[in-house]
Amino acid sequence: MDIIRTTRELQERSDRDRARGQTIALVPTMGALHPGHLSLIACARERADQVWVSIFVNPTQFNDREDFEGYPRNFEADVESCRAAAVDVIFAPTPDQLYPQGADTWVEVGKIAESLCGATRPGHFRGVTTVVSKLFLAAKPHFAVFGEKDYQQVAVIRRLTRDMGFDVEIVGAPILREADGLAISSRNVRLGPAARKQAQVLLGAIRGAERAVAGGERRTAAILEGVEKTIGEAPLASIDYAELRDPVTLAEASDRLVGPCLLALAVHFAPDPDGRGSEVRLIDNRVLHPPRKLEETS
Ligand code: PAF
C-alpha cells in the first residue's frame, strides 16, 4: 500500500495505472475510519482493480471552526484499517495541496444543495463539492464510492458529476447499521446510553412509513404524521427535518406519492438527563417504493 501526499504524484500514479489498463475506485473520506467506511471500501473492491482511499479533513465543509478542530483524527489507525482492507493507495494530502495559498475558487451546485442539510449548514455542500472536484482531478478515478447514509451528499455529487462532465461513475453504497438498527456513524459514540436507546426511533419511523406505504397510504401528510409521532415517542429527540422528497432532484414530494420517494430524517438527540453523552444530530433515510397494484387507502 502506498501513501501519497501530493496531487502531482497522485495524478502521475493514476496516469500510469490507467495506461496499463487498471481501473481505479476512489473512496473519499475524512478519516476516523469505521465499519461504514470499510463497507465503502468493499464496494469499491467489487468494481475496480485498485481501491484508493483519500483521507483529508476538509476545512471548507465545516460551518464552525470548533467542529473542524474537534473532528476525530487518527491517521495511524486509519492506515492500519486500510492495510487490513488491502487498499492500494492512501491519498493523504496536506491542506496546501488542495487549497494552495490564496485559494479562492469554488464549485457550487445549485438548488439540490439548498434544502435539507443544506438549509441548516450553509456553505457545507459548497465545501464538499469543491473538495470532491479537486479529488476527482487529482485521482482521476473510474469510480467514486459514497455512503447513502449521506443521501443528499450523494445526490449533490451526482449532479456535480453530470454538470461538470467528470468521467467518473458515482456509486452509492447502502447504509450499514449497528445491531440495534442505528445507521453507523462516527457520531453514535457521542450519544449517552439513554439517547442511544431512543435513537432507535429513527429506524422505527422509517419502518413505520414503509409499512404505511406498503399498506396503500399515499398521502404525504399522513406518512409524515406517522414519522413525527414515532420520533415524538423519544423524549430526548427533536426533529430538524422529516421530509418526503424526489429521490433524484430532492424536490418536495407532491401531496400524494406517485412513485419512489425519499424519506429523509435529521434528528437532534439531547444529552441524557444524568448528563452523559452530548448533543448529537443524526441523519437517516430510506427510499419508499409504493407497490403499484395495491389498493390505495384514500
Ligand atoms: O462524506 C465525507 O466524509 C466528506 O463529505 C467527503 C465526501 C470525504 C468530502 O470531504
Side-chain angles (χ1 to χ4, degrees):
M1 184 176 73
D2 293 320
I3 299 177
I4 295 182
R5 298 276 182 187
T6 68
T7 299
R8 169 67 64 87
E9 243 184 294
L10 194 73
Q11 283 166 336
E12 285 170 1
R13 165 79 185 242
S14 180
D15 291 344
R16 274 201 311 277
D17 286 344
R18 291 179 76 111
R20 60 188 186 94
Q22 293 276 292
T23 51
I24 299 163
L26 175 70
V27 182
T29 81
M30 297 206 297
L33 302 182
H34 55 59
H37 294 111
L38 299 183
S39 76
L40 305 187
I41 291 172
C43 196
R45 170 77 55 218
E46 282 170 16
R47 279 172 177 76
D49 301 318
Q50 297 212 14
V51 177
W52 294 10
V53 172
S54 63
I55 298 178
F56 179 69
V57 184
N58 174 36
T60 64
Q61 69 187 76
F62 287 82
N63 304 95
D64 154 353
R65 185 91 214 153
E66 251 177 62
D67 240 21
F68 168 65
E69 276 158 13
Y71 196 84
R73 290 163 173 85
N74 195 343
F75 188 66
E76 295 315 316
D78 290 346
V79 169
E80 279 325 302
S81 302
C82 287
R83 209 185 294 285
V87 165
D88 298 279
V89 170
I90 293 179
F91 179 48
T94 48
D96 62 304
Q97 288 294 311
L98 296 183
Y99 296 101
Q101 181 68 30
D104 196 19
T105 300
W106 303 98
V107 183
E108 188 162 10
V109 171
K111 240 185 166 35
I112 194 170
E114 285 167 10
S115 59
L116 303 175
C117 291
T120 46
R121 303 180 69 188
H124 167 69
F125 284 118
R126 182 177 88 148
V128 170
T129 45
T130 298
V131 81
V132 166
S133 301
K134 290 167 188 257
L135 292 170
F136 285 177
L137 292 168
K140 303 186 227 177
H142 298 83
F143 305 91
V145 183
F146 298 88
E148 280 177 349
K149 183 173 79 66
D150 297 304
Y151 191 99
Q152 187 178 16
Q153 173 169 279
V154 183
V156 167
I157 289 169
R158 286 189 199 283
R159 183 76 267 163
L160 164 81
T161 305
R162 278 196 297 272
D163 291 354
M164 297 300 287
F166 285 123
D167 188 15
V168 181
E169 186 180 321
I170 305 303
V171 179
I175 297 177
L176 196 67
R177 295 185 181 277
E178 313 240 22
D180 62 2
L182 197 57
I184 290 187
S185 159
S186 50
R187 296 171 183 222
N188 294 352
V189 295
R190 291 170 20 209
L191 293 161
R196 169 70 203 230
K197 199 154 176 23
Q198 291 182 25
Q200 292 175 27
V201 292
L202 286 171
L203 187 58
I206 287 172
R207 287 190 172 143
E210 248 177 355
R211 276 195 302 276
V213 170
E217 183 59 83
R218 297 289 178 276
R219 295 165 302 167
T220 53
I223 298 164
L224 290 176
E225 202 178 301
V227 166
E228 283 163 20
K229 185 163 175 287
T230 304
I231 296 172
E233 284 160 13
L236 296 173
S238 56
I239 295 177
D240 176 356
Y241 62 72
E243 297 196 26
L244 288 165
R245 297 255 165 180
D246 180 280
V248 176
T249 63
L250 303 191
E252 272 178 49
S254 51
D255 292 349
R256 301 178 68 81
L257 301 197
V258 287
C261 191
L262 171 73
L263 171 61
L265 304 176
V267 176
H268 290 275
F269 287 88
D272 283 9
D274 64 7
R276 283 192 283 174
S278 49
E279 209 261 295
V280 182
R281 179 178 176 276
L282 298 180
I283 55 174
D284 207 335
N285 69 77
R286 176 80 48 99
V287 177
L288 307 173
H289 295 271
R292 289 232 171 118
K293 289 194 181 131
L294 262 187
E295 283 289 306
E296 297 183 10
T297 50
S298 46

